[in-house]
Amino acid sequence: MSWRIWQEGPAQFRLDLLKKHPRAQRVLEVAAEKAGWGKPLEKGMGRGIAYHLSFDSYVAQVADLSVDRKSGAIKVQRIVLAGR
């Protein structure tokens, strides 16, 4: 299954898993859209996306991260959150 993430991308992979859950898909779409998912990142930056259902709340997050090449320290640059 992990090969699909590389082939489709992490956002599309999660959207496909949520086909039968339109509210969950919409929350994920909003987080990705607001974070600029799919737009190129600056050199040294990375981006991740996550979705969670908890206590009847749909939540998605996109994290923009950077890594200090000397120390290896990871810094969270921005978190974009969508929920319903």
Side-chain angles (χ1 to χ4, degrees), residues 29-61:
E29 288 168 347
V30 168
E33 178 184 313
K34 298 293 182 185
W37 191 269
K39 293 182 181 176
L41 294 169
E42 294 177 24
K43 186 176 180 177
M45 295 285 295
R47 182 173 283 155
I49 190 166
Y51 163 79
H52 185 70
L53 172 62
S54 182
F55 302 104
D56 291 326
S57 296
Y58 299 84
V59 182
Q61 307 85 26

Side-chain angles (χ1 to χ4, degrees), residues 3-20:
W3 65 269
R4 283 186 54 210
I5 294 172
W6 292 108
Q7 186 177 29
E8 299 169 1
Q12 188 59 52
F13 177 75
R14 284 166 180 76
L15 286 168
D16 290 347
L17 291 175
L18 296 169
K19 278 187 225 181
K20 296 179 182 177

